[in-house]
Amino acid sequence: APVVDRRSGNYKPPLWDFDYVQSLNSGYKEEKYSRRASELKAQVELLIEELTLSRPAVELLELIDNLQRLGISCHYEHRIKKILNRVYEMDNKTMNREPNEKDLYSTALKFRLLRQHGFAVSEEVFDCFKNDEGEFEAILTEDSKGLLELYESSFMLIEGEDSLVRAREFATISLQKNIDQGLVLDDELSLLVRRALELPLHWSIPRTQARWFIGTYEKRPHMNPAILELAKLDFNIVQAIHQEELKSVSRWWKSTGFAEELPFVRDRAVGYYLWSIGLIEPREYGYQRIIIAMLISMVTTIDDIFDIYGTLEELHLFTNVIQRWDIELIDRLPVYMQICFLALHNFINEVAYNFLKEQGSNIIPHLRKSFTDLIATYMQEAKWYHNGDKPSLEEYLNNGKISVAGCLVSHYMYFLLTNPIKHEAVQAMYEYHNIIQLPSMIARLADDIGSGPAEMKRGDVPKAIQCYMNETGPSEKQAQKHLKFLIHETWKKINTEVLAADSPFSPTFIRCCVNVGRMTQYMYQHGDGIGVHQSVLKDGIKGLLFEPIA
Ligand SMILES: CC1(C)[C@@H]2CC[C@@]1(C)[C@@H](OP(=O)([O-])OP(=O)([O-])[O-])C2
Ligand SMILES: [Mg+2]
Ligand SMILES: [Mg+2]
Ligand SMILES: [Mg+2]
Ligand SMILES: [Mg+2]
């Protein structure tokens, strides 16, 4: 047979192997910890009750913000809604009166929390902080605490809110300057500002923030001991739940034998499961997280077949068999593709089987369609690569927002999280409804910024950076800046979509879709966290999955 040049991803072995994962055994699985957590939950409930009756609104808002940052607000959703409702009603009554204290911090904190919870608050609440020319008053540049809240709030913007675009620019520049000139004297505030400038709250996955914030909260002079103990305990109890799910995924990944049969793919069971933690947050959805981690394992393996190993000839064969979905055709594939196709077939049948038992209908056609659509975009990229074509940025991104697999993951999350499913929602999904495709566009943009350099080195289709440079000139810096601009623009559309009233999807599912963008930005904020540079996420993963908080 002719010698075929196969590329390599130069992927190192996994940082945590099968035996290490199977050895995980958190003490926090024990009943006594859940009992203690229940006691603390009740104590904190009383504390919130007392504060609600006696303290000013800004302290209540701070408490809500702290509970959210500590990762324990899920226990108090009902109470939080009631408090925000009251704050919203009060605001409406006093709205026409000049706000007695023009306090940027409390105004922005209120705006952010109300909008985050779906209340209709206007960007005009910030007008009282502007001068006659409509610019934010210069004096504000000294108020880093207020600026940080203004900065975080500005990421909640929807289309048309130019005042919030200005607010983000003004706050970003002022905060960066204050940090550079050492003007932010409070240690905690300085840390909060640095993290926010890297990744704002609205773009972050709460769980990845909680571990860090618990450590920060502990150092606060007036922190509440019951809240702190609950936050630590709850984090560790959820970590123990996640470890059991990870062990299932790791056993399944080993059973596929992909790492042996397809040695060129990313052997990253921990990384694949990590996605699920960011995508599906409610702790009770363990089965769903395991399936999504298996799904991402399949997607990544097929992605490496298309990007690295398969010849164009073989990729055409594979695409044809996937489109026909006929198991009889398997013999025309090279063995490594037979392994992958049969594993995919088994996986889809397992998901469809569980769905059939639960909802009594057959979704195999949908589960297949997600993959035939995905693989058509993989095939397009392979053709561009092998023919040396240079697609325009727009052409590349229209294909790439699907090929990054965010839409496919959302498709599967819908079937896993929705009971009963609705025909109109399924139809909207496969027409690539905004809530399905916009977070996937974020994923593509973040993925190309993060994994693009290594992909270009080993050989891959021209990524967004290269497509932009082919069109507008040689500066990689300029290209990165443009992609970051596109990320901001796409988030504005996502925020608008989330607030749209007539969605065929549930709020829980919508949040999981938006997390597709958040999780990719987390994975790639320091380069390719799942591929060649595992170490950039190493400490983050250890803190999330392996090391309980002391
Ligand atoms: C889950 C994912 C974000 C998606 C599939 C595997 C990924 C880790 C990433 O892998 P990558 O090779 O960077 O995808 P692409 O650039 O070839 O589309 C794209
Ligand atoms: Mg790839
Ligand atoms: Mg690819
Ligand atoms: Mg990539
Ligand atoms: Mg990548």
Side-chain angles (χ1 to χ4, degrees):
V3 173
V4 176
D5 75 309
R6 308 254 189 202
R7 282 165 287 164
S8 156
N10 306 315
Y11 298 128
K12 303 278 179 298
L15 289 173
W16 300 284
D17 65 11
F18 177 77
D19 294 337
Y20 171 78
V21 169
Q22 296 307 318
S23 72
L24 291 170
N25 185 15
S26 164
Y28 289 91
K29 287 183 290 196
E30 285 168 41
E31 176 55 29
K32 67 181 178 183
Y33 291 112
S34 306
R35 263 202 309 279
R36 178 63 185 147
S38 302
E39 287 166 16
L40 287 163
K41 267 183 241 171
Q43 274 182 41
V44 172
E45 178 106 32
L46 281 178
L47 173 79
I48 297 172
E49 190 59 41
E50 278 158 31
L51 281 174
T52 306
L53 299 172
S54 64
R55 311 302 301 162
V58 68
E59 279 190 35
L60 287 179
L61 294 172
E62 283 179 335
L63 175 66
I64 291 171
D65 192 36
N66 286 337
L67 292 174
Q68 291 186 167
R69 287 172 185 267
L70 290 165
I72 53 175
S73 59
C74 54
H75 302 303
Y76 305 105
E77 274 163 9
H78 172 68
R79 202 165 282 283
I80 287 171
K81 207 79 181 172
K82 258 175 63 180
I83 293 170
L84 292 176
N85 244 318
R86 210 158 58 76
V87 167
Y88 181 67
E89 299 307 330
M90 295 250 290
D91 239 32
N92 276 352
K93 280 200 205 72
T94 61
M95 194 55 123
N96 35 33
R97 242 183 336 97
E98 256 303 288
N100 35 25
E101 80 290 350
K102 278 175 55 169
D103 172 34
L104 182 58
Y105 168 72
S106 55
T107 304
L109 177 61
K110 186 189 304 179
F111 175 87
R112 170 165 63 88
L113 291 177
L114 286 175
R115 182 160 285 192
Q116 176 196 335
H117 288 267
F119 291 91
V121 282
S122 159
E123 63 173 346
E124 286 158 13
V125 300
F126 296 110
D127 288 350
C128 62
F129 298 104
K130 295 178 183 175
N131 57 30
D132 300 343
E133 294 73 50
E135 289 301 318
F136 283 96
E137 284 156 355
I139 185 75
L140 293 170
T141 56
E142 293 161 25
D143 173 12
S144 292
K145 193 164 184 262
L147 283 172
L148 176 58
E149 272 313 324
L150 179 64
Y151 171 86
E152 295 289 13
S153 298
S154 71
F155 285 86
M156 309 300 290
L157 83 171
I158 60 177
E159 285 170 303
E161 292 188 316
D162 299 337
S163 170
L164 289 176
V165 174
R166 276 296 300 130
R168 180 167 49 77
E169 288 160 358
F170 171 73
T172 305
I173 292 164
S174 311
L175 286 169
Q176 193 60 62
K177 195 163 60 60
N178 291 356
I179 286 286
D180 295 344
Q181 294 173 1
L183 299 176
V184 186
L185 305 177
D186 176 284
D187 287 350
E188 178 182 328
L189 181 58
S190 160
L191 278 170
L192 282 167
V193 169
R194 288 173 204 280
R195 275 181 86 90
L197 289 172
E198 245 181 41
L199 204 61
L201 268 181
H202 185 53
W203 293 2
S204 304
I205 297 284
R207 185 125 185 109
T208 59
Q209 292 283 352
R211 173 81 196 230
W212 172 80
F213 189 73
I214 289 169
T216 305
Y217 182 77
E218 186 164 29
K219 298 189 191 93
R220 269 195 193 165
H222 312 297
M223 60 88 189
N224 178 284
I227 288 180
L228 176 68
E229 190 189 344
L230 175 58
K232 287 183 172 183
L233 193 47
D234 197 61
F235 183 92
N236 292 338
I237 289 171
V238 172
Q239 185 181 73
I241 294 169
H242 287 166
Q243 284 184 0
E244 293 313 305
E245 294 163 15
L246 167 61
K247 286 157 83 170
S248 307
V249 173
S250 152
R251 281 192 294 275
W252 170 80
W253 175 252
K254 185 174 177 64
S255 75
T256 65
F258 280 170
E260 292 73 38
E261 304 290 334
L262 293 81
F264 54 87
V265 305
R266 280 163 279 189
D267 180 4
R268 300 281 184 277
V270 171
Y272 300 140
Y273 175 69
L274 187 70
W275 283 94
S276 293
I277 294 179
L279 293 173
I280 304 176
E281 295 159 289
R283 64 195 67 191
E284 61 271 24
Y285 293 128
Y287 163 73
Q288 291 81 348
R289 276 193 292 276
I290 291 169
I291 296 293
I292 289 300
M294 291 160 70
L295 176 69
I296 289 175
S297 311
M298 287 304 318
V299 163
T300 308
T301 299
I302 298 170
D303 178 67
D304 280 337
I305 287 177
F306 274 80
D307 292 350
I308 297 172
Y309 196 79
T311 64
L312 202 54
E313 173 77 23
E314 292 167 341
L315 298 179
H316 276 298
L317 273 177
F318 192 71
T319 303
N320 182 268
V321 171
I322 291 279
Q323 277 164 351
R324 310 262 295 270
W325 202 255
D326 177 354
I327 203 71
E328 297 308 319
L329 298 176
I330 200 169
D331 295 326
R332 62 175 64 174
L333 293 172
V335 172
Y336 79 92
M337 284 186 163
Q338 293 186 26
I339 294 273
C340 182
F341 178 62
L342 199 46
L344 178 62
H345 205 264
N346 295 345
F347 171 69
I348 285 183
N349 288 345
E350 178 183 349
V351 175
Y353 184 78
N354 292 334
F355 187 91
L356 181 63
K357 273 194 303 183
E358 198 176 291
Q359 296 203 34
S361 62
N362 167 29
I363 55 170
I364 290 178
H366 302 308
L367 301 183
R368 279 178 48 192
K369 170 110 172 75
S370 300
F371 271 95
T372 42
D373 287 1
L374 175 74
I375 282 162
T377 62
Y378 281 176
M379 197 63 234
Q380 173 62 77
E381 289 174 349
K383 282 183 205 154
W384 281 332
Y385 171 73
H386 287 279
N387 303 339
D389 293 339
K390 296 187 185 320
S392 71
L393 180 63
E394 190 188 4
E395 221 179 346
Y396 170 81
L397 287 177
N398 273 333
N399 189 69
K401 68 188 175 188
I402 312 290
S403 74
V404 75
C407 301
L408 173 134
V409 169
S410 289
H411 290 162
Y412 278 64
M413 288 197 288
Y414 178 75
F415 294 114
L416 290 167
L417 291 165
T418 313
N419 187 351
I421 60 170
K422 289 187 292 186
H423 173 71
E424 51 154 342
V426 173
Q427 195 174 359
M429 278 210 301
Y430 287 93
E431 286 162 1
Y432 289 88
H433 182 283
N434 270 345
I435 207 62
I436 299 290
Q437 68 156 298
L438 293 173
S440 199
M441 175 63 94
I442 298 282
R444 169 48 65 203
L445 295 165
D447 180 79
D448 281 2
I449 294 171
S451 62
E455 290 162 337
M456 287 305 104
K457 243 207 295 292
R458 61 109 199 278
D460 204 326
V461 66
K463 300 291 173 174
I465 296 272
Q466 287 70 35
C467 292
Y468 182 80
M469 288 163 73
N470 291 340
E471 282 184 4
T472 58
S475 155
E476 183 144 354
K477 246 224 149 350
Q478 194 54 37
Q480 291 220 350
K481 198 159 171 284
H482 183 66
L483 295 200
K484 289 194 170 103
F485 165 74
L486 292 178
I487 286 177
H488 279 290
E489 288 305 294
T490 308
W491 264 109
K492 202 188 295 183
K493 293 184 186 129
I494 290 173
N495 294 342
T496 308
E497 193 63 42
V498 169
L499 285 181
D502 52 352
S503 168
F505 304 114
S506 73
T508 301
F509 172 66
I510 287 172
R511 177 152 179 96
C512 293
C513 289
V514 179
N515 285 341
V516 165
R518 293 193 175 101
M519 198 51 195
T520 321
Q521 287 182 271
Y522 170 77
M523 294 289 263
Y524 288 111
Q525 62 180 316
H526 302 302
D528 187 354
I530 191 163
V532 290
H533 315 301
Q534 299 172 70
S535 50
V536 291
L537 280 179
K538 184 175 179 180
D539 294 341
I541 291 175
K542 279 163 64 176
L544 274 175
L545 276 171
F546 304 138
E547 290 164 358
I549 300 178

